[in-house]
């Protein structure tokens, strides 16, 4: 089955700096990669996603890049703000048995220091 | 749109008691997922349904766990009997259909089994 590894597990940056979180996946058939942000006491919220026919996608301060050959994808947050502090999860959507499902990374606790 | 609704938000019970968690997916969504989140194991998929039919329950930890989806707007996850190691946050998520990748999470139920 699919294995998704996420690094780092914790990340602290100064406000205004950039943050990068990286994930690797094992199943070359994976074709959809969402990123979720989870704030304390809340459920994960989708913030950006990318499909395997695209190499990069950007939404304001957030961007995701995908390298299909190397089977890794990354989340980039620029001009970080304290409200970006949260746990971020990557995921890969792939075939599991006879159905498709999301496999999640282990999460990255991002802290933006004012 | 109200989003995915879960109840209760918090549950404290004693070991051996039955626990029932409830979920109302987003209206019109045909797939529903139950996840468990712990510090040690991260986000784990327990079971998911397409059109009210269970598709993959390989993540259900033991026979003490059961899930039902009697109609398109309601699902339950039951633990009987509950054990302290079941303490976790349980999330429900829904998506538009089997071929739509994006999942939307509810706020979660925080379960504590004493």
């Amino acid at each position: 089955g699919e294995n998704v590894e996420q690094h780092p597990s914790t990340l602290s940056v100064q406000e205004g700096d950039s943050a990068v979180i990286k994930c690797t996946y094992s199943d070359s058939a994976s074709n959809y990669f969402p990123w979720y942000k989870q704030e304390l006491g809340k459920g994960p919220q989708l913030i950006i996603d990318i499909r395997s026919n695209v190499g990069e996608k950007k939404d304001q301060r957030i961007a995701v890049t995908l390298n299909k050959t190397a089977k890794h994808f990354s989340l980039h947050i620029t001009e970080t703000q304290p409200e970006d502090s949260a746990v971020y999860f990557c995921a890969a959507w792939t075939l599991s048995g006879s159905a498709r499902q999301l496999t999640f990374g282990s999460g990255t606790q991002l802290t933006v220091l004012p | 749109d109200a989003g995915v609704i879960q109840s209760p938000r918090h549950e404290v019970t004693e070991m051996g008691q039955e626990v029932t968690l409830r979920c109302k997916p987003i209206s019109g969504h045909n797939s529903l997922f139950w996840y468990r989140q712990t510090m040690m194991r991260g986000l784990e998929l327990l079971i998911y349904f397409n059109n009210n039919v269970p598709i993959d329950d390989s993540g259900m930890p033991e026979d003490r766990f059961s899930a039902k989806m009697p109609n398109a707007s309601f699902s339950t996850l039951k633990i009987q009997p509950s054990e302290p190691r079941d303490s976790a946050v349980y999330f429900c998520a829904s998506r538009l259909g089997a071929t739509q990748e994006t999942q939307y999470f509810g706020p979660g139920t925080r379960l504590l089994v004493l």
Side-chain angles (χ1 to χ4, degrees), chain A residues 30-92:
Chain A
S30 295
N31 59 3
Y32 172 69
F33 308 90
W35 286 88
Y36 286 84
K37 175 183 180 182
Q38 186 176 22
E39 297 176 325
L40 195 63
K42 298 184 179 180
Q45 299 296 311
L46 179 71
I47 56 172
I48 195 167
D49 56 17
I50 191 168
R51 287 171 172 78
S52 59
N53 59 345
V54 175
E56 183 175 359
K57 183 177 179 180
K58 190 173 182 180
D59 182 3
Q60 298 182 349
R61 297 186 297 108
I62 295 174
V64 57
T65 59
L66 171 65
N67 183 327
K68 281 189 64 180
T69 303
K71 289 190 278 193
H72 66 69
F73 55 112
S74 301
L75 178 71
H76 304 253
I77 307 174
T78 58
E79 300 173 27
T80 53
Q81 301 168 3
E83 52 264 39
D84 294 330
S85 296
V87 179
Y88 291 81
F89 292 94
C90 63

Short mmCIF file of all heavy atoms in Angstrom, two decimals, chain A residues 30-92:
data_model
loop_
_atom_site.label_atom_id
_atom_site.label_comp_id
_atom_site.label_asym_id
_atom_site.label_seq_id
_atom_site.Cartn_x
_atom_site.Cartn_y
_atom_site.Cartn_z
N SER A 30 -0.20 7.17 -7.42
CA SER A 30 -0.84 8.30 -6.72
C SER A 30 -0.93 9.49 -7.65
O SER A 30 0.03 9.81 -8.36
CB SER A 30 -0.03 8.68 -5.47
OG SER A 30 -0.04 7.63 -4.54
N ASN A 31 -2.08 10.16 -7.67
CA ASN A 31 -2.24 11.24 -8.63
C ASN A 31 -2.91 12.49 -8.07
O ASN A 31 -3.26 13.40 -8.81
CB ASN A 31 -3.04 10.74 -9.84
CG ASN A 31 -4.41 10.22 -9.44
OD1 ASN A 31 -4.79 10.28 -8.28
ND2 ASN A 31 -5.15 9.72 -10.40
N TYR A 32 -3.09 12.53 -6.75
CA TYR A 32 -3.70 13.71 -6.15
C TYR A 32 -3.09 13.90 -4.77
O TYR A 32 -2.99 12.95 -3.99
CB TYR A 32 -5.21 13.51 -6.04
CG TYR A 32 -5.93 14.59 -5.25
CD1 TYR A 32 -6.03 15.88 -5.75
CD2 TYR A 32 -6.49 14.31 -4.02
CE1 TYR A 32 -6.69 16.86 -5.02
CE2 TYR A 32 -7.14 15.27 -3.29
CZ TYR A 32 -7.24 16.55 -3.79
OH TYR A 32 -7.88 17.53 -3.08
N PHE A 33 -2.66 15.15 -4.49
CA PHE A 33 -1.89 15.40 -3.27
C PHE A 33 -2.42 16.66 -2.58
O PHE A 33 -2.06 17.78 -2.95
CB PHE A 33 -0.41 15.56 -3.62
CG PHE A 33 0.12 14.42 -4.45
CD1 PHE A 33 0.08 14.47 -5.84
CD2 PHE A 33 0.64 13.29 -3.84
CE1 PHE A 33 0.55 13.41 -6.61
CE2 PHE A 33 1.12 12.23 -4.60
CZ PHE A 33 1.06 12.29 -5.98
N PRO A 34 -3.26 16.50 -1.59
CA PRO A 34 -3.76 17.67 -0.85
C PRO A 34 -2.91 17.97 0.37
O PRO A 34 -2.21 17.10 0.90
CB PRO A 34 -5.16 17.20 -0.42
CG PRO A 34 -5.01 15.72 -0.23
CD PRO A 34 -3.95 15.27 -1.22
N TRP A 35 -3.00 19.20 0.82
CA TRP A 35 -2.40 19.62 2.08
C TRP A 35 -3.51 20.14 2.99
O TRP A 35 -4.36 20.91 2.57
CB TRP A 35 -1.36 20.72 1.86
CG TRP A 35 -0.09 20.23 1.26
CD1 TRP A 35 0.22 20.10 -0.06
CD2 TRP A 35 1.08 19.80 1.97
NE1 TRP A 35 1.50 19.61 -0.23
CE2 TRP A 35 2.05 19.42 1.01
CE3 TRP A 35 1.41 19.70 3.32
CZ2 TRP A 35 3.32 18.95 1.35
CZ3 TRP A 35 2.67 19.24 3.67
CH2 TRP A 35 3.61 18.87 2.70
N TYR A 36 -3.45 19.71 4.25
CA TYR A 36 -4.43 20.12 5.24
C TYR A 36 -3.74 20.88 6.37
O TYR A 36 -2.62 20.56 6.76
CB TYR A 36 -5.16 18.90 5.82
CG TYR A 36 -6.17 18.27 4.90
CD1 TYR A 36 -5.77 17.34 3.94
CD2 TYR A 36 -7.51 18.59 4.98
CE1 TYR A 36 -6.69 16.75 3.09
CE2 TYR A 36 -8.45 18.00 4.14
CZ TYR A 36 -8.03 17.09 3.20
OH TYR A 36 -8.95 16.52 2.35
N LYS A 37 -4.46 21.86 6.89
CA LYS A 37 -4.00 22.62 8.05
C LYS A 37 -4.94 22.32 9.21
O LYS A 37 -6.17 22.40 9.06
CB LYS A 37 -4.04 24.12 7.74
CG LYS A 37 -3.70 25.04 8.91
CD LYS A 37 -3.85 26.50 8.49
CE LYS A 37 -3.52 27.44 9.64
NZ LYS A 37 -3.70 28.88 9.25
N GLN A 38 -4.37 21.94 10.34
CA GLN A 38 -5.20 21.64 11.49
C GLN A 38 -4.82 22.56 12.64
O GLN A 38 -3.70 22.49 13.16
CB GLN A 38 -5.05 20.18 11.92
CG GLN A 38 -6.00 19.79 13.04
CD GLN A 38 -5.91 18.32 13.40
OE1 GLN A 38 -4.92 17.65 13.13
NE2 GLN A 38 -6.95 17.79 14.01
N GLU A 39 -5.75 23.40 13.03
CA GLU A 39 -5.56 24.26 14.18
C GLU A 39 -6.02 23.55 15.44
O GLU A 39 -6.81 22.60 15.38
CB GLU A 39 -6.30 25.58 13.98
CG GLU A 39 -5.78 26.37 12.78
CD GLU A 39 -6.56 27.63 12.51
OE1 GLU A 39 -7.79 27.63 12.71
OE2 GLU A 39 -5.95 28.63 12.09
N LEU A 40 -5.54 24.00 16.56
CA LEU A 40 -5.80 23.34 17.83
C LEU A 40 -7.30 23.20 18.08
O LEU A 40 -8.05 24.19 17.99
CB LEU A 40 -5.14 24.12 18.96
CG LEU A 40 -5.02 23.40 20.30
CD1 LEU A 40 -4.13 22.18 20.16
CD2 LEU A 40 -4.47 24.34 21.37
N GLY A 41 -7.74 21.99 18.34
CA GLY A 41 -9.14 21.75 18.66
C GLY A 41 -10.07 21.71 17.47
O GLY A 41 -11.29 21.66 17.63
N LYS A 42 -9.51 21.71 16.26
CA LYS A 42 -10.35 21.71 15.05
C LYS A 42 -9.97 20.55 14.15
O LYS A 42 -8.94 19.91 14.32
CB LYS A 42 -10.19 23.03 14.31
CG LYS A 42 -10.65 24.25 15.10
CD LYS A 42 -10.54 25.51 14.26
CE LYS A 42 -11.03 26.73 15.03
NZ LYS A 42 -10.92 27.97 14.22
N GLY A 43 -10.83 20.30 13.18
CA GLY A 43 -10.54 19.27 12.20
C GLY A 43 -9.62 19.79 11.12
O GLY A 43 -9.47 21.00 10.93
N PRO A 44 -8.95 18.91 10.39
CA PRO A 44 -8.09 19.34 9.29
C PRO A 44 -8.89 20.08 8.22
O PRO A 44 -10.00 19.68 7.87
CB PRO A 44 -7.54 18.01 8.74
CG PRO A 44 -7.69 17.03 9.86
CD PRO A 44 -8.93 17.45 10.58
N GLN A 45 -8.31 21.16 7.72
CA GLN A 45 -8.95 21.94 6.67
C GLN A 45 -8.07 21.95 5.43
O GLN A 45 -6.87 22.25 5.53
CB GLN A 45 -9.19 23.37 7.16
CG GLN A 45 -10.11 23.47 8.36
CD GLN A 45 -11.52 22.98 8.07
OE1 GLN A 45 -12.13 23.37 7.08
NE2 GLN A 45 -12.05 22.12 8.93
N LEU A 46 -8.64 21.67 4.28
CA LEU A 46 -7.89 21.67 3.04
C LEU A 46 -7.42 23.09 2.73
O LEU A 46 -8.22 24.04 2.76
CB LEU A 46 -8.78 21.17 1.90
CG LEU A 46 -8.14 21.13 0.52
CD1 LEU A 46 -7.11 20.02 0.45
CD2 LEU A 46 -9.21 20.94 -0.56
N ILE A 47 -6.13 23.25 2.45
CA ILE A 47 -5.61 24.57 2.10
C ILE A 47 -5.14 24.67 0.67
O ILE A 47 -5.22 25.74 0.05
CB ILE A 47 -4.46 25.00 3.06
CG1 ILE A 47 -3.33 23.96 3.07
CG2 ILE A 47 -5.00 25.25 4.46
CD1 ILE A 47 -2.10 24.43 3.85
N ILE A 48 -4.67 23.60 0.10
CA ILE A 48 -4.24 23.59 -1.28
C ILE A 48 -4.06 22.15 -1.72
O ILE A 48 -3.83 21.27 -0.88
CB ILE A 48 -2.92 24.39 -1.47
CG1 ILE A 48 -2.66 24.71 -2.95
CG2 ILE A 48 -1.74 23.66 -0.86
CD1 ILE A 48 -1.56 25.75 -3.17
N ASP A 49 -4.19 21.91 -3.01
CA ASP A 49 -3.99 20.56 -3.52
C ASP A 49 -3.36 20.63 -4.91
O ASP A 49 -3.36 21.68 -5.54
CB ASP A 49 -5.28 19.75 -3.54
CG ASP A 49 -6.40 20.42 -4.32
OD1 ASP A 49 -6.12 21.34 -5.12
OD2 ASP A 49 -7.58 20.05 -4.13
N ILE A 50 -2.81 19.53 -5.34
CA ILE A 50 -2.18 19.49 -6.67
C ILE A 50 -2.41 18.11 -7.26
O ILE A 50 -2.44 17.10 -6.54
CB ILE A 50 -0.67 19.82 -6.57
CG1 ILE A 50 -0.08 20.05 -7.96
CG2 ILE A 50 0.10 18.74 -5.82
CD1 ILE A 50 1.32 20.66 -7.93
N ARG A 51 -2.59 18.10 -8.57
CA ARG A 51 -2.78 16.84 -9.28
C ARG A 51 -1.52 16.51 -10.07
O ARG A 51 -0.71 17.39 -10.37
CB ARG A 51 -4.01 16.91 -10.18
CG ARG A 51 -5.29 16.87 -9.36
CD ARG A 51 -6.55 17.15 -10.14
NE ARG A 51 -7.72 16.90 -9.32
CZ ARG A 51 -8.18 17.71 -8.37
NH1 ARG A 51 -7.56 18.84 -8.12
NH2 ARG A 51 -9.25 17.39 -7.67
N SER A 52 -1.38 15.24 -10.43
CA SER A 52 -0.10 14.77 -10.95
C SER A 52 0.21 15.31 -12.34
O SER A 52 1.32 15.12 -12.83
CB SER A 52 -0.07 13.25 -10.96
OG SER A 52 -1.11 12.73 -11.75
N ASN A 53 -0.72 15.97 -12.98
CA ASN A 53 -0.43 16.55 -14.30
C ASN A 53 0.07 17.99 -14.20
O ASN A 53 0.23 18.67 -15.21
CB ASN A 53 -1.67 16.47 -15.20
CG ASN A 53 -2.85 17.20 -14.60
OD1 ASN A 53 -2.86 17.53 -13.42
ND2 ASN A 53 -3.85 17.45 -15.42
N VAL A 54 0.29 18.44 -12.95
CA VAL A 54 0.74 19.81 -12.71
C VAL A 54 1.99 19.76 -11.84
O VAL A 54 2.08 18.95 -10.92
CB VAL A 54 -0.36 20.63 -12.00
CG1 VAL A 54 0.15 22.02 -11.65
CG2 VAL A 54 -1.60 20.70 -12.88
N GLY A 55 2.98 20.62 -12.12
CA GLY A 55 4.20 20.61 -11.34
C GLY A 55 4.19 21.57 -10.16
O GLY A 55 4.88 21.36 -9.18
N GLU A 56 3.40 22.64 -10.29
CA GLU A 56 3.38 23.64 -9.24
C GLU A 56 2.03 24.34 -9.24
O GLU A 56 1.40 24.54 -10.28
CB GLU A 56 4.50 24.67 -9.47
CG GLU A 56 4.60 25.71 -8.37
CD GLU A 56 5.80 26.64 -8.54
OE1 GLU A 56 6.55 26.45 -9.52
OE2 GLU A 56 5.99 27.52 -7.70
N LYS A 57 1.60 24.71 -8.03
CA LYS A 57 0.34 25.45 -7.89
C LYS A 57 0.52 26.46 -6.78
O LYS A 57 1.14 26.16 -5.75
CB LYS A 57 -0.80 24.49 -7.58
CG LYS A 57 -2.17 25.12 -7.48
CD LYS A 57 -3.21 24.05 -7.25
CE LYS A 57 -4.60 24.64 -7.11
NZ LYS A 57 -5.61 23.56 -6.87
N LYS A 58 -0.03 27.67 -6.99
CA LYS A 58 0.17 28.73 -6.01
C LYS A 58 -1.16 29.38 -5.66
O LYS A 58 -2.02 29.56 -6.54
CB LYS A 58 1.13 29.77 -6.55
CG LYS A 58 1.60 30.79 -5.53
CD LYS A 58 2.68 31.69 -6.10
CE LYS A 58 3.17 32.66 -5.05
NZ LYS A 58 4.25 33.55 -5.58
N ASP A 59 -1.32 29.71 -4.40
CA ASP A 59 -2.51 30.41 -3.93
C ASP A 59 -2.07 31.42 -2.89
O ASP A 59 -1.86 31.08 -1.72
CB ASP A 59 -3.53 29.43 -3.35
CG ASP A 59 -4.81 30.12 -2.91
OD1 ASP A 59 -4.94 31.34 -3.11
OD2 ASP A 59 -5.69 29.42 -2.37
N GLN A 60 -1.86 32.64 -3.32
CA GLN A 60 -1.41 33.75 -2.47
C GLN A 60 -0.06 33.37 -1.82
O GLN A 60 0.92 33.19 -2.53
CB GLN A 60 -2.48 34.09 -1.44
CG GLN A 60 -3.79 34.55 -2.09
CD GLN A 60 -4.85 34.94 -1.09
OE1 GLN A 60 -4.75 34.70 0.11
NE2 GLN A 60 -5.92 35.55 -1.58
N ARG A 61 -0.01 33.21 -0.53
CA ARG A 61 1.28 32.94 0.13
C ARG A 61 1.62 31.45 0.18
O ARG A 61 2.68 31.08 0.69
CB ARG A 61 1.25 33.50 1.55
CG ARG A 61 1.10 35.01 1.65
CD ARG A 61 1.24 35.49 3.09
NE ARG A 61 0.17 34.96 3.95
CZ ARG A 61 0.37 34.03 4.87
NH1 ARG A 61 1.58 33.50 5.06
NH2 ARG A 61 -0.63 33.61 5.62
N ILE A 62 0.75 30.64 -0.33
CA ILE A 62 0.94 29.18 -0.24
C ILE A 62 1.19 28.62 -1.63
O ILE A 62 0.51 28.99 -2.59
CB ILE A 62 -0.29 28.51 0.39
CG1 ILE A 62 -0.46 28.96 1.84
CG2 ILE A 62 -0.18 27.00 0.32
CD1 ILE A 62 -1.73 28.47 2.47
N ALA A 63 2.16 27.72 -1.73
CA ALA A 63 2.43 27.05 -3.00
C ALA A 63 2.77 25.59 -2.73
O ALA A 63 3.26 25.24 -1.65
CB ALA A 63 3.59 27.73 -3.73
N VAL A 64 2.47 24.76 -3.69
CA VAL A 64 2.83 23.35 -3.60
C VAL A 64 3.54 22.96 -4.89
O VAL A 64 3.17 23.40 -5.98
CB VAL A 64 1.59 22.46 -3.36
CG1 VAL A 64 0.55 22.65 -4.44
CG2 VAL A 64 1.97 21.00 -3.22
N THR A 65 4.61 22.19 -4.75
CA THR A 65 5.35 21.69 -5.89
C THR A 65 5.33 20.17 -5.86
O THR A 65 5.28 19.55 -4.79
CB THR A 65 6.80 22.18 -5.88
OG1 THR A 65 7.44 21.73 -4.67
CG2 THR A 65 6.87 23.70 -5.96
N LEU A 66 5.36 19.58 -7.04
CA LEU A 66 5.30 18.13 -7.17
C LEU A 66 6.37 17.66 -8.13
O LEU A 66 6.50 18.20 -9.24
CB LEU A 66 3.92 17.70 -7.68
CG LEU A 66 3.74 16.24 -8.07
CD1 LEU A 66 3.89 15.33 -6.85
CD2 LEU A 66 2.39 16.02 -8.75
N ASN A 67 7.14 16.68 -7.70
CA ASN A 67 8.14 16.04 -8.56
C ASN A 67 7.74 14.57 -8.68
O ASN A 67 8.01 13.76 -7.79
CB ASN A 67 9.55 16.18 -7.95
CG ASN A 67 10.61 15.60 -8.84
OD1 ASN A 67 10.41 14.62 -9.56
ND2 ASN A 67 11.78 16.20 -8.82
N LYS A 68 7.08 14.23 -9.77
CA LYS A 68 6.57 12.87 -9.94
C LYS A 68 7.69 11.85 -10.08
O LYS A 68 7.57 10.72 -9.61
CB LYS A 68 5.67 12.80 -11.17
CG LYS A 68 4.28 13.33 -10.97
CD LYS A 68 3.41 13.01 -12.16
CE LYS A 68 3.22 11.52 -12.32
NZ LYS A 68 2.37 11.18 -13.49
N THR A 69 8.76 12.25 -10.72
CA THR A 69 9.86 11.32 -10.93
C THR A 69 10.47 10.89 -9.60
O THR A 69 10.73 9.72 -9.37
CB THR A 69 10.94 11.96 -11.80
OG1 THR A 69 10.34 12.36 -13.04
CG2 THR A 69 12.07 10.99 -12.07
N ALA A 70 10.67 11.88 -8.74
CA ALA A 70 11.26 11.60 -7.43
C ALA A 70 10.22 11.19 -6.41
O ALA A 70 10.58 10.80 -5.28
CB ALA A 70 12.03 12.83 -6.95
N LYS A 71 8.96 11.33 -6.75
CA LYS A 71 7.85 11.01 -5.85
C LYS A 71 7.92 11.80 -4.56
O LYS A 71 7.88 11.25 -3.45
CB LYS A 71 7.78 9.50 -5.59
CG LYS A 71 7.31 8.72 -6.82
CD LYS A 71 7.00 7.27 -6.52
CE LYS A 71 8.27 6.46 -6.52
NZ LYS A 71 8.03 5.01 -6.54
N HIS A 72 8.06 13.12 -4.72
CA HIS A 72 7.95 13.96 -3.55
C HIS A 72 7.24 15.26 -3.90
O HIS A 72 7.21 15.69 -5.06
CB HIS A 72 9.29 14.18 -2.86
CG HIS A 72 10.30 14.96 -3.64
ND1 HIS A 72 10.19 16.30 -3.93
CD2 HIS A 72 11.48 14.56 -4.18
CE1 HIS A 72 11.25 16.69 -4.60
NE2 HIS A 72 12.03 15.67 -4.78
N PHE A 73 6.62 15.84 -2.89
CA PHE A 73 5.91 17.09 -3.06
C PHE A 73 6.11 17.94 -1.80
O PHE A 73 6.38 17.40 -0.72
CB PHE A 73 4.43 16.88 -3.37
CG PHE A 73 3.66 16.03 -2.38
CD1 PHE A 73 2.68 16.59 -1.58
CD2 PHE A 73 3.90 14.66 -2.28
CE1 PHE A 73 1.96 15.83 -0.69
CE2 PHE A 73 3.18 13.88 -1.38
CZ PHE A 73 2.21 14.47 -0.60
N SER A 74 6.04 19.24 -1.99
CA SER A 74 6.40 20.15 -0.90
C SER A 74 5.38 21.28 -0.78
O SER A 74 4.79 21.70 -1.78
CB SER A 74 7.78 20.76 -1.14
OG SER A 74 8.77 19.77 -1.23
N LEU A 75 5.23 21.76 0.44
CA LEU A 75 4.39 22.92 0.74
C LEU A 75 5.30 24.08 1.08
O LEU A 75 6.22 23.94 1.90
CB LEU A 75 3.46 22.62 1.91
CG LEU A 75 2.56 23.77 2.37
CD1 LEU A 75 1.47 24.04 1.32
CD2 LEU A 75 1.93 23.47 3.72
N HIS A 76 5.06 25.22 0.45
CA HIS A 76 5.85 26.41 0.70
C HIS A 76 4.93 27.51 1.19
O HIS A 76 3.92 27.82 0.54
CB HIS A 76 6.54 26.88 -0.60
CG HIS A 76 7.39 25.84 -1.24
ND1 HIS A 76 8.77 25.88 -1.23
CD2 HIS A 76 7.06 24.71 -1.91
CE1 HIS A 76 9.25 24.83 -1.89
NE2 HIS A 76 8.24 24.10 -2.29
N ILE A 77 5.27 28.08 2.34
CA ILE A 77 4.51 29.22 2.86
C ILE A 77 5.47 30.41 2.94
O ILE A 77 6.51 30.32 3.61
CB ILE A 77 3.92 28.94 4.25
CG1 ILE A 77 3.09 27.64 4.24
CG2 ILE A 77 3.05 30.11 4.71
CD1 ILE A 77 2.60 27.22 5.62
N THR A 78 5.14 31.47 2.26
CA THR A 78 6.00 32.66 2.28
C THR A 78 5.39 33.71 3.21
O THR A 78 4.20 33.67 3.53
CB THR A 78 6.15 33.25 0.87
OG1 THR A 78 4.85 33.58 0.36
CG2 THR A 78 6.81 32.25 -0.07
N GLU A 79 6.25 34.64 3.64
CA GLU A 79 5.82 35.74 4.51
C GLU A 79 4.95 35.22 5.65
O GLU A 79 3.82 35.68 5.86
CB GLU A 79 5.06 36.78 3.69
CG GLU A 79 5.90 37.38 2.56
CD GLU A 79 5.05 38.27 1.65
OE1 GLU A 79 4.03 38.83 2.11
OE2 GLU A 79 5.41 38.40 0.47
N THR A 80 5.46 34.27 6.38
CA THR A 80 4.68 33.60 7.42
C THR A 80 4.16 34.59 8.47
O THR A 80 4.81 35.60 8.79
CB THR A 80 5.49 32.51 8.12
OG1 THR A 80 6.73 33.08 8.59
CG2 THR A 80 5.76 31.35 7.19
N GLN A 81 2.99 34.26 8.99
CA GLN A 81 2.33 35.07 10.00
C GLN A 81 1.99 34.18 11.20
O GLN A 81 1.86 32.97 11.05
CB GLN A 81 1.07 35.69 9.41
CG GLN A 81 1.36 36.55 8.18
CD GLN A 81 0.09 36.93 7.41
OE1 GLN A 81 -1.02 36.59 7.81
NE2 GLN A 81 0.28 37.62 6.30
N PRO A 82 1.82 34.77 12.38
CA PRO A 82 1.51 33.94 13.56
C PRO A 82 0.30 33.04 13.36
O PRO A 82 0.28 31.91 13.87
CB PRO A 82 1.26 34.99 14.64
CG PRO A 82 2.14 36.13 14.25
CD PRO A 82 2.05 36.18 12.74
N GLU A 83 -0.67 33.49 12.59
CA GLU A 83 -1.87 32.66 12.36
C GLU A 83 -1.60 31.46 11.46
O GLU A 83 -2.48 30.60 11.29
CB GLU A 83 -3.02 33.50 11.79
CG GLU A 83 -2.66 34.30 10.58
CD GLU A 83 -2.28 35.74 10.93
OE1 GLU A 83 -1.61 35.95 11.96
OE2 GLU A 83 -2.66 36.64 10.15
N ASP A 84 -0.41 31.37 10.88
CA ASP A 84 -0.03 30.18 10.12
C ASP A 84 0.37 29.04 11.06
O ASP A 84 0.52 27.89 10.61
CB ASP A 84 1.13 30.47 9.17
CG ASP A 84 0.76 31.45 8.07
OD1 ASP A 84 -0.42 31.48 7.67
OD2 ASP A 84 1.65 32.21 7.63
N SER A 85 0.57 29.35 12.33
CA SER A 85 0.96 28.32 13.30
C SER A 85 -0.15 27.27 13.40
O SER A 85 -1.31 27.60 13.68
CB SER A 85 1.22 28.94 14.67
OG SER A 85 2.32 29.82 14.63
N ALA A 86 0.22 26.01 13.15
CA ALA A 86 -0.76 24.92 13.13
C ALA A 86 -0.01 23.64 12.81
O ALA A 86 1.21 23.64 12.61
CB ALA A 86 -1.85 25.16 12.08
N VAL A 87 -0.74 22.53 12.75
CA VAL A 87 -0.17 21.28 12.26
C VAL A 87 -0.59 21.11 10.80
O VAL A 87 -1.76 21.28 10.46
CB VAL A 87 -0.64 20.07 13.08
CG1 VAL A 87 -0.05 18.77 12.53
CG2 VAL A 87 -0.25 20.24 14.54
N TYR A 88 0.37 20.82 9.96
CA TYR A 88 0.11 20.65 8.53
C TYR A 88 0.30 19.18 8.16
O TYR A 88 1.29 18.55 8.54
CB TYR A 88 1.04 21.53 7.71
CG TYR A 88 0.74 23.00 7.86
CD1 TYR A 88 1.20 23.71 8.97
CD2 TYR A 88 -0.03 23.67 6.91
CE1 TYR A 88 0.90 25.06 9.13
CE2 TYR A 88 -0.33 25.02 7.06
CZ TYR A 88 0.13 25.70 8.17
OH TYR A 88 -0.17 27.04 8.33
N PHE A 89 -0.66 18.65 7.40
CA PHE A 89 -0.60 17.27 6.94
C PHE A 89 -0.58 17.23 5.42
O PHE A 89 -1.38 17.90 4.76
CB PHE A 89 -1.83 16.48 7.40
CG PHE A 89 -1.90 16.25 8.88
CD1 PHE A 89 -2.62 17.11 9.70
CD2 PHE A 89 -1.26 15.16 9.45
CE1 PHE A 89 -2.69 16.89 11.07
CE2 PHE A 89 -1.34 14.94 10.82
CZ PHE A 89 -2.05 15.81 11.63
N CYS A 90 0.30 16.41 4.89
CA CYS A 90 0.22 16.10 3.47
C CYS A 90 -0.52 14.78 3.30
O CYS A 90 -0.67 14.02 4.27
CB CYS A 90 1.62 16.00 2.85
SG CYS A 90 2.64 14.65 3.51
N ALA A 91 -0.97 14.50 2.11
CA ALA A 91 -1.66 13.25 1.84
C ALA A 91 -1.51 12.89 0.38
O ALA A 91 -1.25 13.75 -0.46
CB ALA A 91 -3.15 13.35 2.22
N ALA A 92 -1.65 11.61 0.11
CA ALA A 92 -1.62 11.13 -1.27
C ALA A 92 -2.86 10.28 -1.50
O ALA A 92 -3.23 9.46 -0.66
CB ALA A 92 -0.35 10.30 -1.52
#
